[in-house]
Amino acid sequence: HGIFAGYKIVYVNTADQSDRGNVTVERDVKDESIDFELTDLRPYTIYQITVSPQTLEGDGAPSTPIFVHTDDGVPTGFPLNVQGSPMNSTALLVTWQEPPQEDQNGIITGYQVQFHPQGGGSAGMSTMLVPSSPAELVHLQKFTLYDVNVAAVNSKGVGPPSPIVTMRTGEDVPAAPPSNITANNVSSTELEVIWRPVPQKYQNGIVLGYKVMYRRADGEYPIRNVTINNGSQLSHVLKGLKKYGPYDIRLLAFTVKGEGNVSESVFCRTAEDGE
């Protein structure tokens, strides 16, 4: 039925009819055995393939279709909607959704979660593998911002990471007292106490205020205290004290989670009467 010219191979993605194509294989001998490689196909996809003989007059009847499943490929999409929330002051709960189906390129076997303190650089990067969402990140620094990304994993490797999401661990009580505490006598019945904030790395949250504790150093009990509900206030005048009395003064800072460590004692004496 005409002079034989070759074969026409038609391939169609069974899940996406727009993903189709054809290629002509030129041959002179009709009964020649032919191997031909189709390239640039989608990974992990079923294709319907037919072969038709070609003559100079046109195409012949196509063969019975065969269905071929391409091999897996590394994921080309990243997990979606990555979010995080504090579980406590040293742990974060990270959640996400799987990559779009067409970008998975195989069966997703797990996820790679990478995280590090913000500003710490790749040197502080930690990596963990989990089978699915969510992931619990533990043993973290308190009240610290972390940069987190998630990548999908299949039999062929690790896909691209999601955009970085920043999340913060929860608050805790301060791990250190206020610093540079001093006291000066203002009068025979008043002492001014001055201090500096808790060092940043020990605050473990937003410092809401301070507690000043004081007593006569010669044995007066109980200990008195003044609560200052202002985290930016860095001095306080103690009034109504005994004249020319020695006082033992200590401070602590507090966050929404409670009171932190108490400082060492600072000693100061009120002025003599008349000063």
PDB file of all heavy atoms in Angstrom, residues 191 212-225 238 241-242 245-250 265-269:
ATOM      1  N   LEU A 191      16.823  55.293 100.018  1.00  0.00           N
ATOM      2  CA  LEU A 191      17.921  54.766  99.200  1.00  0.00           C
ATOM      3  C   LEU A 191      17.453  54.666  97.748  1.00  0.00           C
ATOM      4  O   LEU A 191      16.329  54.210  97.488  1.00  0.00           O
ATOM      5  CB  LEU A 191      18.349  53.377  99.674  1.00  0.00           C
ATOM      6  CG  LEU A 191      19.009  53.253 101.053  1.00  0.00           C
ATOM      7  CD1 LEU A 191      19.228  51.781 101.385  1.00  0.00           C
ATOM      8  CD2 LEU A 191      20.335  54.011 101.078  1.00  0.00           C
ATOM      9  N   VAL A 212      12.126  44.472  93.690  1.00  0.00           N
ATOM     10  CA  VAL A 212      13.214  44.912  94.569  1.00  0.00           C
ATOM     11  C   VAL A 212      12.911  44.374  95.969  1.00  0.00           C
ATOM     12  O   VAL A 212      11.850  44.664  96.538  1.00  0.00           O
ATOM     13  CB  VAL A 212      13.323  46.444  94.601  1.00  0.00           C
ATOM     14  CG1 VAL A 212      14.504  46.876  95.481  1.00  0.00           C
ATOM     15  CG2 VAL A 212      13.477  47.011  93.188  1.00  0.00           C
ATOM     16  N   MET A 213      13.841  43.587  96.523  1.00  0.00           N
ATOM     17  CA  MET A 213      13.668  43.003  97.855  1.00  0.00           C
ATOM     18  C   MET A 213      14.723  43.605  98.788  1.00  0.00           C
ATOM     19  O   MET A 213      15.899  43.687  98.421  1.00  0.00           O
ATOM     20  CB  MET A 213      13.831  41.482  97.779  1.00  0.00           C
ATOM     21  CG  MET A 213      12.733  40.823  96.951  1.00  0.00           C
ATOM     22  SD  MET A 213      13.204  39.172  96.363  1.00  0.00           S
ATOM     23  CE  MET A 213      14.334  39.630  95.045  1.00  0.00           C
ATOM     24  N   TYR A 214      14.285  43.998  99.952  1.00  0.00           N
ATOM     25  CA  TYR A 214      15.236  44.656 100.856  1.00  0.00           C
ATOM     26  C   TYR A 214      14.878  44.376 102.314  1.00  0.00           C
ATOM     27  O   TYR A 214      13.731  44.094 102.646  1.00  0.00           O
ATOM     28  CB  TYR A 214      15.268  46.162 100.590  1.00  0.00           C
ATOM     29  CG  TYR A 214      13.962  46.888 100.838  1.00  0.00           C
ATOM     30  CD1 TYR A 214      13.751  47.597 102.030  1.00  0.00           C
ATOM     31  CD2 TYR A 214      12.935  46.870  99.902  1.00  0.00           C
ATOM     32  CE1 TYR A 214      12.564  48.275 102.251  1.00  0.00           C
ATOM     33  CE2 TYR A 214      11.745  47.532 100.123  1.00  0.00           C
ATOM     34  CZ  TYR A 214      11.555  48.232 101.307  1.00  0.00           C
ATOM     35  OH  TYR A 214      10.380  48.897 101.551  1.00  0.00           O
ATOM     36  N   ARG A 215      15.889  44.449 103.163  1.00  0.00           N
ATOM     37  CA  ARG A 215      15.698  44.295 104.604  1.00  0.00           C
ATOM     38  C   ARG A 215      16.879  44.948 105.315  1.00  0.00           C
ATOM     39  O   ARG A 215      17.932  45.200 104.703  1.00  0.00           O
ATOM     40  CB  ARG A 215      15.612  42.820 104.987  1.00  0.00           C
ATOM     41  CG  ARG A 215      16.899  42.036 104.772  1.00  0.00           C
ATOM     42  CD  ARG A 215      16.724  40.598 105.207  1.00  0.00           C
ATOM     43  NE  ARG A 215      17.930  39.813 104.984  1.00  0.00           N
ATOM     44  CZ  ARG A 215      18.950  39.724 105.836  1.00  0.00           C
ATOM     45  NH1 ARG A 215      18.917  40.397 106.989  1.00  0.00           N
ATOM     46  NH2 ARG A 215      20.016  38.984 105.552  1.00  0.00           N
ATOM     47  N   ARG A 216      16.694  45.194 106.604  1.00  0.00           N
ATOM     48  CA  ARG A 216      17.801  45.698 107.418  1.00  0.00           C
ATOM     49  C   ARG A 216      18.879  44.625 107.487  1.00  0.00           C
ATOM     50  O   ARG A 216      18.617  43.473 107.796  1.00  0.00           O
ATOM     51  CB  ARG A 216      17.330  46.034 108.824  1.00  0.00           C
ATOM     52  CG  ARG A 216      16.570  47.344 108.938  1.00  0.00           C
ATOM     53  CD  ARG A 216      17.519  48.537 108.904  1.00  0.00           C
ATOM     54  NE  ARG A 216      18.382  48.589 110.069  1.00  0.00           N
ATOM     55  CZ  ARG A 216      18.092  49.261 111.191  1.00  0.00           C
ATOM     56  NH1 ARG A 216      16.969  49.960 111.266  1.00  0.00           N
ATOM     57  NH2 ARG A 216      18.929  49.249 112.207  1.00  0.00           N
ATOM     58  N   ALA A 217      20.096  45.018 107.194  1.00  0.00           N
ATOM     59  CA  ALA A 217      21.194  44.054 107.183  1.00  0.00           C
ATOM     60  C   ALA A 217      21.574  43.590 108.581  1.00  0.00           C
ATOM     61  O   ALA A 217      22.298  42.602 108.728  1.00  0.00           O
ATOM     62  CB  ALA A 217      22.413  44.647 106.475  1.00  0.00           C
ATOM     63  N   ASP A 218      21.063  44.281 109.603  1.00  0.00           N
ATOM     64  CA  ASP A 218      21.390  43.876 110.976  1.00  0.00           C
ATOM     65  C   ASP A 218      20.311  42.967 111.572  1.00  0.00           C
ATOM     66  O   ASP A 218      20.238  42.784 112.781  1.00  0.00           O
ATOM     67  CB  ASP A 218      21.604  45.111 111.854  1.00  0.00           C
ATOM     68  CG  ASP A 218      20.414  46.062 111.824  1.00  0.00           C
ATOM     69  OD1 ASP A 218      19.384  45.718 111.205  1.00  0.00           O
ATOM     70  OD2 ASP A 218      20.510  47.162 112.402  1.00  0.00           O
ATOM     71  N   GLY A 219      19.442  42.405 110.699  1.00  0.00           N
ATOM     72  CA  GLY A 219      18.563  41.347 111.174  1.00  0.00           C
ATOM     73  C   GLY A 219      17.084  41.625 111.143  1.00  0.00           C
ATOM     74  O   GLY A 219      16.308  40.833 111.652  1.00  0.00           O
ATOM     75  N   GLU A 220      16.637  42.730 110.554  1.00  0.00           N
ATOM     76  CA  GLU A 220      15.210  43.015 110.501  1.00  0.00           C
ATOM     77  C   GLU A 220      14.521  42.059 109.531  1.00  0.00           C
ATOM     78  O   GLU A 220      14.967  41.869 108.407  1.00  0.00           O
ATOM     79  CB  GLU A 220      14.966  44.453 110.050  1.00  0.00           C
ATOM     80  CG  GLU A 220      13.474  44.805 109.992  1.00  0.00           C
ATOM     81  CD  GLU A 220      13.229  46.129 109.283  1.00  0.00           C
ATOM     82  OE1 GLU A 220      13.881  46.393 108.265  1.00  0.00           O
ATOM     83  OE2 GLU A 220      12.371  46.869 109.759  1.00  0.00           O
ATOM     84  N   TYR A 221      13.438  41.441 109.971  1.00  0.00           N
ATOM     85  CA  TYR A 221      12.644  40.567 109.129  1.00  0.00           C
ATOM     86  C   TYR A 221      11.190  40.972 109.249  1.00  0.00           C
ATOM     87  O   TYR A 221      10.789  41.581 110.242  1.00  0.00           O
ATOM     88  CB  TYR A 221      12.821  39.099 109.562  1.00  0.00           C
ATOM     89  CG  TYR A 221      14.189  38.552 109.238  1.00  0.00           C
ATOM     90  CD1 TYR A 221      15.220  38.617 110.175  1.00  0.00           C
ATOM     91  CD2 TYR A 221      14.468  37.994 107.998  1.00  0.00           C
ATOM     92  CE1 TYR A 221      16.489  38.126 109.895  1.00  0.00           C
ATOM     93  CE2 TYR A 221      15.727  37.501 107.711  1.00  0.00           C
ATOM     94  CZ  TYR A 221      16.741  37.568 108.664  1.00  0.00           C
ATOM     95  OH  TYR A 221      17.980  37.096 108.385  1.00  0.00           O
ATOM     96  N   PRO A 222      10.284  40.658 108.363  1.00  0.00           N
ATOM     97  CA  PRO A 222      10.534  39.905 107.124  1.00  0.00           C
ATOM     98  C   PRO A 222      11.138  40.790 106.039  1.00  0.00           C
ATOM     99  O   PRO A 222      11.218  42.013 106.215  1.00  0.00           O
ATOM    100  CB  PRO A 222       9.138  39.442 106.731  1.00  0.00           C
ATOM    101  CG  PRO A 222       8.247  40.550 107.202  1.00  0.00           C
ATOM    102  CD  PRO A 222       8.851  41.022 108.492  1.00  0.00           C
ATOM    103  N   ILE A 223      11.515  40.164 104.959  1.00  0.00           N
ATOM    104  CA  ILE A 223      12.008  40.899 103.797  1.00  0.00           C
ATOM    105  C   ILE A 223      10.839  41.655 103.176  1.00  0.00           C
ATOM    106  O   ILE A 223       9.750  41.129 103.008  1.00  0.00           O
ATOM    107  CB  ILE A 223      12.627  39.935 102.765  1.00  0.00           C
ATOM    108  CG1 ILE A 223      13.844  39.241 103.364  1.00  0.00           C
ATOM    109  CG2 ILE A 223      12.993  40.666 101.484  1.00  0.00           C
ATOM    110  CD1 ILE A 223      14.437  38.170 102.478  1.00  0.00           C
ATOM    111  N   ARG A 224      11.087  42.900 102.869  1.00  0.00           N
ATOM    112  CA  ARG A 224      10.074  43.701 102.171  1.00  0.00           C
ATOM    113  C   ARG A 224      10.380  43.662 100.671  1.00  0.00           C
ATOM    114  O   ARG A 224      11.509  43.432 100.260  1.00  0.00           O
ATOM    115  CB  ARG A 224      10.106  45.142 102.664  1.00  0.00           C
ATOM    116  CG  ARG A 224       9.883  45.288 104.163  1.00  0.00           C
ATOM    117  CD  ARG A 224      10.023  46.731 104.578  1.00  0.00           C
ATOM    118  NE  ARG A 224       9.960  46.893 106.032  1.00  0.00           N
ATOM    119  CZ  ARG A 224      10.085  48.056 106.659  1.00  0.00           C
ATOM    120  NH1 ARG A 224      10.300  49.167 105.942  1.00  0.00           N
ATOM    121  NH2 ARG A 224      10.011  48.120 107.968  1.00  0.00           N
ATOM    122  N   ASN A 225       9.358  43.895  99.871  1.00  0.00           N
ATOM    123  CA  ASN A 225       9.606  43.934  98.421  1.00  0.00           C
ATOM    124  C   ASN A 225       8.703  44.941  97.743  1.00  0.00           C
ATOM    125  O   ASN A 225       7.607  45.253  98.230  1.00  0.00           O
ATOM    126  CB  ASN A 225       9.474  42.545  97.796  1.00  0.00           C
ATOM    127  CG  ASN A 225       8.075  41.983  97.917  1.00  0.00           C
ATOM    128  OD1 ASN A 225       7.168  42.431  97.225  1.00  0.00           O
ATOM    129  ND2 ASN A 225       7.883  41.008  98.812  1.00  0.00           N
ATOM    130  N   LEU A 238      13.706  53.651  97.493  1.00  0.00           N
ATOM    131  CA  LEU A 238      13.079  53.019  98.651  1.00  0.00           C
ATOM    132  C   LEU A 238      12.894  54.083  99.718  1.00  0.00           C
ATOM    133  O   LEU A 238      13.848  54.784 100.101  1.00  0.00           O
ATOM    134  CB  LEU A 238      13.962  51.897  99.180  1.00  0.00           C
ATOM    135  CG  LEU A 238      14.287  50.771  98.184  1.00  0.00           C
ATOM    136  CD1 LEU A 238      15.284  49.790  98.804  1.00  0.00           C
ATOM    137  CD2 LEU A 238      13.029  50.040  97.742  1.00  0.00           C
ATOM    138  N   LEU A 241      12.675  54.292 105.298  1.00  0.00           N
ATOM    139  CA  LEU A 241      13.661  53.402 105.906  1.00  0.00           C
ATOM    140  C   LEU A 241      14.115  53.952 107.246  1.00  0.00           C
ATOM    141  O   LEU A 241      13.865  55.112 107.599  1.00  0.00           O
ATOM    142  CB  LEU A 241      14.855  53.233 104.960  1.00  0.00           C
ATOM    143  CG  LEU A 241      14.521  52.785 103.515  1.00  0.00           C
ATOM    144  CD1 LEU A 241      15.796  52.693 102.692  1.00  0.00           C
ATOM    145  CD2 LEU A 241      13.768  51.467 103.517  1.00  0.00           C
ATOM    146  N   LYS A 242      14.809  53.111 108.009  1.00  0.00           N
ATOM    147  CA  LYS A 242      15.352  53.536 109.285  1.00  0.00           C
ATOM    148  C   LYS A 242      16.566  54.439 109.054  1.00  0.00           C
ATOM    149  O   LYS A 242      17.355  54.220 108.146  1.00  0.00           O
ATOM    150  CB  LYS A 242      15.775  52.315 110.113  1.00  0.00           C
ATOM    151  CG  LYS A 242      14.629  51.395 110.488  1.00  0.00           C
ATOM    152  CD  LYS A 242      13.700  52.061 111.490  1.00  0.00           C
ATOM    153  CE  LYS A 242      12.549  51.148 111.892  1.00  0.00           C
ATOM    154  NZ  LYS A 242      12.968  49.982 112.660  1.00  0.00           N
ATOM    155  N   GLY A 245      20.572  53.342 108.685  1.00  0.00           N
ATOM    156  CA  GLY A 245      20.460  51.884 108.801  1.00  0.00           C
ATOM    157  C   GLY A 245      21.133  51.184 107.638  1.00  0.00           C
ATOM    158  O   GLY A 245      21.066  51.645 106.492  1.00  0.00           O
ATOM    159  N   PRO A 246      21.780  50.045 107.894  1.00  0.00           N
ATOM    160  CA  PRO A 246      22.386  49.247 106.823  1.00  0.00           C
ATOM    161  C   PRO A 246      21.317  48.364 106.162  1.00  0.00           C
ATOM    162  O   PRO A 246      20.550  47.698 106.870  1.00  0.00           O
ATOM    163  CB  PRO A 246      23.426  48.404 107.555  1.00  0.00           C
ATOM    164  CG  PRO A 246      22.842  48.220 108.918  1.00  0.00           C
ATOM    165  CD  PRO A 246      22.050  49.461 109.231  1.00  0.00           C
ATOM    166  N   TYR A 247      21.290  48.383 104.850  1.00  0.00           N
ATOM    167  CA  TYR A 247      20.271  47.616 104.143  1.00  0.00           C
ATOM    168  C   TYR A 247      20.903  46.632 103.151  1.00  0.00           C
ATOM    169  O   TYR A 247      21.901  46.931 102.493  1.00  0.00           O
ATOM    170  CB  TYR A 247      19.293  48.548 103.408  1.00  0.00           C
ATOM    171  CG  TYR A 247      18.250  49.104 104.352  1.00  0.00           C
ATOM    172  CD1 TYR A 247      18.503  50.253 105.102  1.00  0.00           C
ATOM    173  CD2 TYR A 247      17.027  48.460 104.526  1.00  0.00           C
ATOM    174  CE1 TYR A 247      17.565  50.755 105.992  1.00  0.00           C
ATOM    175  CE2 TYR A 247      16.078  48.953 105.409  1.00  0.00           C
ATOM    176  CZ  TYR A 247      16.355  50.090 106.134  1.00  0.00           C
ATOM    177  OH  TYR A 247      15.422  50.577 107.020  1.00  0.00           O
ATOM    178  N   ASP A 248      20.271  45.471 103.074  1.00  0.00           N
ATOM    179  CA  ASP A 248      20.619  44.390 102.141  1.00  0.00           C
ATOM    180  C   ASP A 248      19.564  44.432 101.032  1.00  0.00           C
ATOM    181  O   ASP A 248      18.370  44.245 101.283  1.00  0.00           O
ATOM    182  CB  ASP A 248      20.584  43.058 102.893  1.00  0.00           C
ATOM    183  CG  ASP A 248      20.818  41.847 101.999  1.00  0.00           C
ATOM    184  OD1 ASP A 248      20.748  41.967 100.766  1.00  0.00           O
ATOM    185  OD2 ASP A 248      21.049  40.759 102.550  1.00  0.00           O
ATOM    186  N   ILE A 249      20.006  44.661  99.794  1.00  0.00           N
ATOM    187  CA  ILE A 249      19.083  44.853  98.668  1.00  0.00           C
ATOM    188  C   ILE A 249      19.378  43.812  97.577  1.00  0.00           C
ATOM    189  O   ILE A 249      20.534  43.604  97.208  1.00  0.00           O
ATOM    190  CB  ILE A 249      19.225  46.265  98.080  1.00  0.00           C
ATOM    191  CG1 ILE A 249      18.977  47.313  99.174  1.00  0.00           C
ATOM    192  CG2 ILE A 249      18.266  46.465  96.910  1.00  0.00           C
ATOM    193  CD1 ILE A 249      19.410  48.706  98.787  1.00  0.00           C
ATOM    194  N   ARG A 250      18.322  43.180  97.078  1.00  0.00           N
ATOM    195  CA  ARG A 250      18.452  42.233  95.974  1.00  0.00           C
ATOM    196  C   ARG A 250      17.339  42.479  94.958  1.00  0.00           C
ATOM    197  O   ARG A 250      16.279  43.001  95.302  1.00  0.00           O
ATOM    198  CB  ARG A 250      18.402  40.794  96.486  1.00  0.00           C
ATOM    199  CG  ARG A 250      19.574  40.426  97.376  1.00  0.00           C
ATOM    200  CD  ARG A 250      19.502  38.970  97.824  1.00  0.00           C
ATOM    201  NE  ARG A 250      18.357  38.738  98.697  1.00  0.00           N
ATOM    202  CZ  ARG A 250      17.880  37.531  99.006  1.00  0.00           C
ATOM    203  NH1 ARG A 250      18.433  36.448  98.481  1.00  0.00           N
ATOM    204  NH2 ARG A 250      16.855  37.409  99.826  1.00  0.00           N
ATOM    205  N   SER A 265      23.400  40.125  96.903  1.00  0.00           N
ATOM    206  CA  SER A 265      23.042  41.276  97.738  1.00  0.00           C
ATOM    207  C   SER A 265      23.944  42.471  97.451  1.00  0.00           C
ATOM    208  O   SER A 265      25.147  42.328  97.180  1.00  0.00           O
ATOM    209  CB  SER A 265      23.141  40.918  99.220  1.00  0.00           C
ATOM    210  OG  SER A 265      22.181  39.935  99.551  1.00  0.00           O
ATOM    211  N   VAL A 266      23.318  43.636  97.497  1.00  0.00           N
ATOM    212  CA  VAL A 266      24.041  44.910  97.469  1.00  0.00           C
ATOM    213  C   VAL A 266      23.755  45.585  98.806  1.00  0.00           C
ATOM    214  O   VAL A 266      22.594  45.644  99.240  1.00  0.00           O
ATOM    215  CB  VAL A 266      23.578  45.795  96.293  1.00  0.00           C
ATOM    216  CG1 VAL A 266      24.174  47.190  96.400  1.00  0.00           C
ATOM    217  CG2 VAL A 266      23.944  45.150  94.961  1.00  0.00           C
ATOM    218  N   PHE A 267      24.790  46.095  99.473  1.00  0.00           N
ATOM    219  CA  PHE A 267      24.614  46.701 100.790  1.00  0.00           C
ATOM    220  C   PHE A 267      24.792  48.209 100.700  1.00  0.00           C
ATOM    221  O   PHE A 267      25.696  48.710 100.014  1.00  0.00           O
ATOM    222  CB  PHE A 267      25.616  46.121 101.784  1.00  0.00           C
ATOM    223  CG  PHE A 267      25.418  44.651 102.031  1.00  0.00           C
ATOM    224  CD1 PHE A 267      26.104  43.702 101.288  1.00  0.00           C
ATOM    225  CD2 PHE A 267      24.520  44.224 102.998  1.00  0.00           C
ATOM    226  CE1 PHE A 267      25.913  42.350 101.499  1.00  0.00           C
ATOM    227  CE2 PHE A 267      24.325  42.871 103.219  1.00  0.00           C
ATOM    228  CZ  PHE A 267      25.023  41.931 102.479  1.00  0.00           C
ATOM    229  N   CYS A 268      23.891  48.911 101.399  1.00  0.00           N
ATOM    230  CA  CYS A 268      23.994  50.364 101.445  1.00  0.00           C
ATOM    231  C   CYS A 268      23.359  50.855 102.747  1.00  0.00           C
ATOM    232  O   CYS A 268      22.397  50.248 103.242  1.00  0.00           O
ATOM    233  CB  CYS A 268      23.302  50.991 100.237  1.00  0.00           C
ATOM    234  SG  CYS A 268      23.558  52.774 100.069  1.00  0.00           S
ATOM    235  N   ARG A 269      23.875  51.959 103.280  1.00  0.00           N
ATOM    236  CA  ARG A 269      23.363  52.516 104.534  1.00  0.00           C
ATOM    237  C   ARG A 269      22.705  53.856 104.245  1.00  0.00           C
ATOM    238  O   ARG A 269      23.211  54.662 103.457  1.00  0.00           O
ATOM    239  CB  ARG A 269      24.526  52.711 105.516  1.00  0.00           C
ATOM    240  CG  ARG A 269      24.100  53.191 106.899  1.00  0.00           C
ATOM    241  CD  ARG A 269      25.316  53.441 107.780  1.00  0.00           C
ATOM    242  NE  ARG A 269      25.982  52.197 108.146  1.00  0.00           N
ATOM    243  CZ  ARG A 269      25.659  51.469 109.208  1.00  0.00           C
ATOM    244  NH1 ARG A 269      24.661  51.841 109.995  1.00  0.00           N
ATOM    245  NH2 ARG A 269      26.323  50.362 109.478  1.00  0.00           N
TER     246      ARG A 269
END
